Every structure is written in C-alpha cells, then in structure tokens.
Amino acid sequence: MLSEQDEADLLARFAQGDLRAAQALTDLLAPRLLRFATRMLGDRAEAEDVTQDTMLRLWRMAPDWEAGQAKPSTWAFRVARNLCTDRLRRRKPMVPEMPDLPDDTAGADARMMQDARAQALDGALAQLPERQREAVILRHIEGLSNPEIAAILMVGVEAVESLTARGKRKLTALLSGRKEELGYESEDI
Amino acid sequence: MNRKTSDDELALFFEAGQKMGLPDALRARILADAASVAAPVAPDWRARLKTWTSGWAMPSVAGGVGATLAGLYLGLVMPVSVYDAPVWMDSALGVFEQVAAPIVGVRDPLELGF
C-alpha cells in the first residue's frame, strides 16, 4: 500500500499530463473501489459505474489537489461511499447479486471453495446495517486504518471501532452455521 | 487440536473477499477518462501568438493605433486656433445646415432659440 506522499506524487504527476501515473493510480485504487462498491450495492454493473465515476472525479480534481490534504485513496473512498449511498437511497430494497470472483492461481477445487467463501461473506455482509458494512469492508477487506475510515465515514475513531466490532460479531454469528460446508474445521467460531 | 478463534475464521473469509480484480474493460474506460482529462501540452509560441491575435488584443491594438493617428491628424495637420472660433463655428453651422438640418427638419438652430 502506498503512503500518502506516494499517492499524492502520482496524482501530481498525472495533473502534469503523465498518463503512466494514471495507470498506476488506477491499478492501485480502482480494484479496491470496485470491491467496496460491489459489496455496498450488491450489483456489479452499478459498482463499475460508481468506480468509473469516482476515478473520473479524481482525475478532474488532480490539478487542484493540495499537499497535506487527506490521502487520495481516502478521498476516493469517501466519494465512492457517497455515490453508493445516493444509489441505495434511490432504489428499493433488493437482494444483492453476488459477483463472480475469479482467481486463476488456485486449483479448481480451491477456487470453488474460495468463491463459495467469498459469496458467503458477501451474503453475510449484505445483512449488516449499512454503516457496519462500510466499516467492516474498509477495515478488514480493504485494510484501511481506523483514522482513515473515520475520515471516510465522517465519524470519530471510537465510533469506527464500535461499528467494526459490532459488524464482526454479527458476521461471526451469520457465518458460524456455514463453516463446515465451506471447509473450515468444526471448531467453535 | 488447535482451536480457531472467530477472528481466524473471519480472516479467512476476508481473505477470500479480496480476490476480486479489475475487469480490463473497466480499466480501459477509466484510463480513457484520464486521457481526456489530462492536461494538454503547453502550446508553442506560434499557437500562443495566433490565440493572442484572434482574441481581444488585436482589435484593441488596432483601435489604439487608429485613435493615435486621428489625434495626430487633428493636432498637427489641421490645428484649430481658439481665436479662430467664429470661423470654425461658422463652418460647423454650415455643416449642420447642409447635413443635419435636412434630416432633423430645422434650417437654423438659432430659430430654436439656442
């Protein structure tokens, strides 16, 4: 994961017309934004639109980016989160469509198991309240720090810790019934 | 036998959830957006001169030059003395009678009580 300075440097290089910096930023941020949006919206096509829109806003904002602002990735996650929230508010409740999760490096059995686990995780995440879901995804799947998540969700660090802890407790309860079918030991969860 | 904690098992789920990659088509769309937004290369001096002359600057320069020439003509070529006021005022009235009066419909401004 790049530091704040590295990300800001890439953005500054893009603002000067360096498209290789845009490629590096895309490879760094877009997959994470897509995962986040897919799990928030439960719809791959909408998540791709949100990801593209977020990156477009990042490109447009690049010339005005000031050193010392939040990390570009934190800024991008905040934009993506707002776009997801807007879309969720506009539509009726729906059952999330689980995305395919290709992994060419694993064998067929392992890949199927991995996919099943990912789908089980997505199904459980979809049952969490929105803010818990956001906090758990950002903390445990995208690996952001609590202060970064606090900046994205615009809450305090303590609130992030609370949201994450409650989300994980509920996830544990939701997934405990499926651990054997997903290849985990039949120990307590 | 090792006993797994809930964190261990959730970590495996979370690890499985990190495998989603970026589709090539979406990556291409994002980079196309970046290319369209990227700052253009700074124009050379010819392009800048062309932009300058096609904007407001050229008419302004032309207007300035024209005003200067008119001032020089009035001040140097056909100077008008204050002491000759009756003469050039009479000429001005002559112009009025010939040009303005037929348009306005008045033959002599003095008839209006000026």
Side-chain angles (χ1 to χ4, degrees):
Chain A
M1 198 171 293
L2 293 180
S3 69
E4 177 177 345
Q5 188 58 43
D6 292 336
E7 288 184 15
D9 287 347
L10 283 174
L11 201 56
R13 280 173 45 200
F14 166 72
Q16 292 168 354
D18 184 352
L19 288 180
R20 282 176 304 177
Q23 290 174 1
L25 275 171
T26 299
D27 293 337
L28 173 74
L29 294 179
R32 302 168 69 198
L33 294 171
L34 179 62
R35 284 196 298 261
F36 173 72
T38 302
R39 293 199 164 91
M40 289 306 300
L41 296 169
D43 182 297
R44 181 63 176 252
E46 275 197 285
E48 290 192 5
D49 288 346
V50 164
T51 303
Q52 186 178 359
D53 197 2
T54 303
M55 294 303 292
L56 178 59
R57 290 173 191 225
L58 183 68
W59 305 141
R60 287 182 176 153
M61 183 275 314
D64 303 323
W65 185 266
E66 293 176 12
Q69 282 186 331
K71 264 174 103 170
S73 58
T74 306
W75 183 92
F77 270 114
R78 188 187 299 172
V79 171
R81 182 235 180 191
N82 290 340
L83 291 173
C84 288
T85 302
D86 289 345
R87 285 171 181 259
L88 287 170
R89 284 178 184 159
R90 278 204 301 265
R91 73 185 187 198
K92 296 174 182 173
M94 57 169 285
V95 177
E97 167 200 329
M98 294 309 150
D100 294 332
L101 303 170
D103 178 12
D104 297 334
T105 59
D109 289 346
R111 188 167 62 243
M112 285 175 61
M113 187 60 74
Q114 188 100 330
D115 290 353
R117 288 171 181 171
Q119 292 196 9
L121 174 66
D122 289 342
L125 281 170
Q127 295 181 55
L128 296 185
E130 187 177 327
R131 293 177 75 77
Q132 288 180 25
R133 185 161 76 239
E134 290 170 335
V136 170
I137 293 171
L138 292 172
R139 181 73 187 93
H140 293 289
I141 299 178
E142 301 310 329
L144 272 61
S145 67
N146 284 345
E148 286 175 315
I149 300 169
I152 292 167
L153 303 185
M154 290 182 280
V155 296
V157 173
E158 293 81 6
V160 171
E161 291 168 353
S162 170
L163 286 168
T164 309
R166 280 185 285 147
K168 282 180 70 177
R169 271 201 301 275
K170 192 162 182 182
L171 270 186
T172 302
L174 289 167
L175 293 170
S176 62
R178 303 192 57 191
K179 58 183 181 177
E180 287 188 30
E181 67 176 284
L182 294 171
Y184 296 126
E185 294 174 17
S186 57
E187 299 288 333
D188 56 344
I189 194 164
Chain B
M1 182 181 289
N2 292 333
R3 292 172 68 85
K4 289 187 173 181
T5 65
S6 61
D7 272 0
D8 288 337
E9 295 206 4
L10 280 181
L12 291 170
F13 279 104
F14 291 142
E15 186 183 338
Q18 291 169 342
K19 300 296 181 187
M20 191 193 306
L22 185 66
D24 290 341
L26 176 59
R27 185 175 188 274
R29 291 205 306 270
I30 290 171
L31 290 177
D33 286 343
S36 68
V37 171
V41 177
D44 62 2
W45 66 270
R46 286 190 190 85
R48 269 185 277 180
L49 181 63
K50 188 176 178 184
T51 304
W52 188 78
T53 55
S54 64
W56 54 267
M58 200 63 180
S60 299
V61 169
V65 170
T68 302
L69 290 174
L72 288 173
Y73 179 79
L74 290 173
L76 299 177
V77 177
M78 52 175 301
V80 179
S81 167
V82 175
Y83 299 109
D84 293 334
V87 176
W88 54 258
M89 285 181 73
D90 185 59
S91 299
L93 285 173
V95 170
F96 183 87
E97 284 183 349
Q98 289 175 10
V99 178
I103 298 172
V104 178
V106 177
R107 292 184 60 196
D108 188 341
L110 293 177
E111 290 179 4
L112 297 174
F114 289 170

